[in-house]
Amino acid sequence: MSTTYEKRHNVHPDDAKRYDTERLRKEFLADNLMNDDKIHFIYSFIDRYMVGGAIPKSKALELESIEPLKADYFLERREMGIINVGGKGKITADGETYELNYKEALYLGRGTKKVTFESVDASKPAHYYINSAPAHTSYPNKLVTMADANVLELGTLESSNARKVNQLIINGIVETCQLQMGLTELQPGSVWNTMPAHTHDRRMEAYFYFNVPEGQSVCHFMGEPKETRHIWIHNEQSVLSPSWSIHSGAGTSNYSFIWGMSGENLDYSDMDFSQPDELL
């Protein structure tokens, strides 16, 4: 079986403020997502959200249902978003094949039964980052290229947070039940993401950091705005962010990250901001 998983339980903010470094990483860090010839998931009880990764290096990988889903097939009651952060790949969903170049996305709707992941060149395998959320109805599968993305230019070099936000699987581009995903690229000379920091009680979020140069790292900030914590992140690692937690970061160089979220509101601008001088 090439599909493996871990479970993560939800956490109350009053408990999280007492966690040491080891416990914070155990509960919120997903550090084993990308493995050759495997599909690996973290099944989180935070909104039943799942983050995963797949590297089909020497063989095609078939998406299999896992025990927590209690489903005949993975997407029986779920939707899925996939973004390729590696070499060119192919995903076949119920007989239709989609080619994904670097930074391109694919949305798969509820009811898609058979899904396989492949790489075009085994020497440069695709690295698929995967998010999945429960779905109440079915929407069409859709490939989203960078040309399809809604692009926002945010921040400034003066504040070290000049960045390009590529909205990929988001309301107005892809019809979804609750899943949203996009890709943010920090410009050279900028290290801060998502500043001012914010929370949104109406949805949770997950961050996946990539393009982190060898020998460099990103410090991800989380916790309540008045009770912040941090986790050091390396390349191709992800952090689960409950609705009560901020999600922001600063790197020792520029980098990129994928944000994914689910909840009861598809309005991207629905955020409760905390200004930098308000954080503790």
Side-chain angles (χ1 to χ4, degrees):
M1 187 171 181
S2 60
T3 305
T4 58
Y5 71 93
E6 306 168 43
K7 285 184 180 179
R8 299 286 177 91
H9 287 278
N10 210 336
V11 175
H12 193 283
D14 286 348
D15 296 327
K17 68 177 64 176
R18 296 175 174 85
Y19 289 173
D20 60 13
T21 298
E22 181 180 4
R23 184 70 185 277
L24 278 172
R25 295 176 71 85
K26 178 182 177 182
E27 298 295 341
F28 300 108
L29 177 66
D31 60 352
N32 191 35
L33 295 180
M34 295 293 182
N35 302 281
D36 289 348
D37 294 326
K38 284 188 177 181
I39 305 172
H40 186 69
F41 287 103
I42 303 293
Y43 181 97
S44 171
F45 287 96
I46 306 172
D47 288 334
R48 305 286 170 171
Y49 202 75
M50 296 178 69
V51 299
I55 304 178
K57 189 171 184 179
S58 64
K59 61 181 180 179
L61 300 175
E62 183 172 345
L63 180 66
E64 301 160 305
S65 184
I66 60 174
E67 189 276 335
L69 300 181
K70 306 290 193 227
D72 291 335
Y73 55 96
F74 196 100
L75 295 175
E76 184 175 0
R77 297 182 297 272
R78 284 185 160 265
E79 60 186 352
M80 176 176 284
I82 306 154
I83 298 178
N84 182 15
V85 296
K88 187 173 183 178
K90 296 189 297 182
I91 297 175
T92 302
D94 286 347
E96 185 169 358
T97 299
Y98 303 88
E99 293 190 351
L100 272 74
N101 292 308
Y102 178 58
K103 298 191 294 187
E104 293 186 339
L106 178 65
Y107 172 78
L108 298 178
R110 171 179 167 164
T112 304
K113 290 186 176 180
K114 186 172 182 180
V115 180
T116 56
F117 299 89
E118 297 178 75
S119 296
V120 171
D121 183 351
S123 67
K124 299 177 181 177
H127 285 217
Y128 296 112
Y129 176 62
I130 307 166
N131 283 189
S132 178
H136 61 271
T137 192
S138 299
Y139 290 114
N141 300 340
K142 184 174 181 179
L143 177 69
V144 183
T145 70
M146 292 300 285
D148 300 319
N150 182 43
V151 181
L152 306 176
E153 300 279 355
L154 301 177
T156 65
L157 285 174
E158 290 77 12
S159 55
S160 302
N161 66 352
R163 60 198 189 274
K164 181 166 66 174
V165 179
N166 303 285
Q167 297 176 333
L168 297 168
I169 299 174
I170 193 168
N171 195 26
I173 297 176
V174 181
E175 198 168 17
T176 73
C177 293
Q178 60 171 324
L179 181 65
Q180 297 185 81
M181 293 179 74
L183 189 155
T184 298
E185 300 170 281
L186 275 290
Q187 302 302 315
S190 288
V191 295
W192 277 101
N193 73 65
T194 319
M195 189 55 67
H198 61 263
T199 58
H200 25 64
D201 286 344
R202 293 141 300 277
R203 56 179 184 243
M204 63 81 65
E205 195 157 353
Y207 272 24
F208 173 78
Y209 290 92
F210 71 104
N211 278 347
V212 180
E214 186 175 353
Q216 305 300 313
S217 189
V218 179
C219 188
H220 179 89
F221 295 93
M222 61 168 299
E224 295 176 287
K226 302 296 185 182
E227 191 75 43
T228 57
R229 298 292 185 270
H230 71 272
I231 299 177
W232 283 98
I233 302 291
H234 304 299
N235 194 46
E236 295 192 338
Q237 294 183 338
S238 183
V239 177
L240 297 167
S241 183
S243 58
W244 48 262
S245 176
I246 64 168
H247 29 278
S248 183
T252 55
S253 71
N254 65 311
Y255 53 91
S256 300
F257 69 96
I258 293 170
W259 43 268
M261 50 189 159
S262 70
E264 62 180 358
N265 194 343
L266 292 175
D267 179 6
Y268 177 82
S269 62
D270 174 22
M271 306 174 192
D272 300 318
F273 288 100
S274 296
Q275 298 302 321
D277 60 356
E278 296 174 332
L279 299 173
L280 297 175

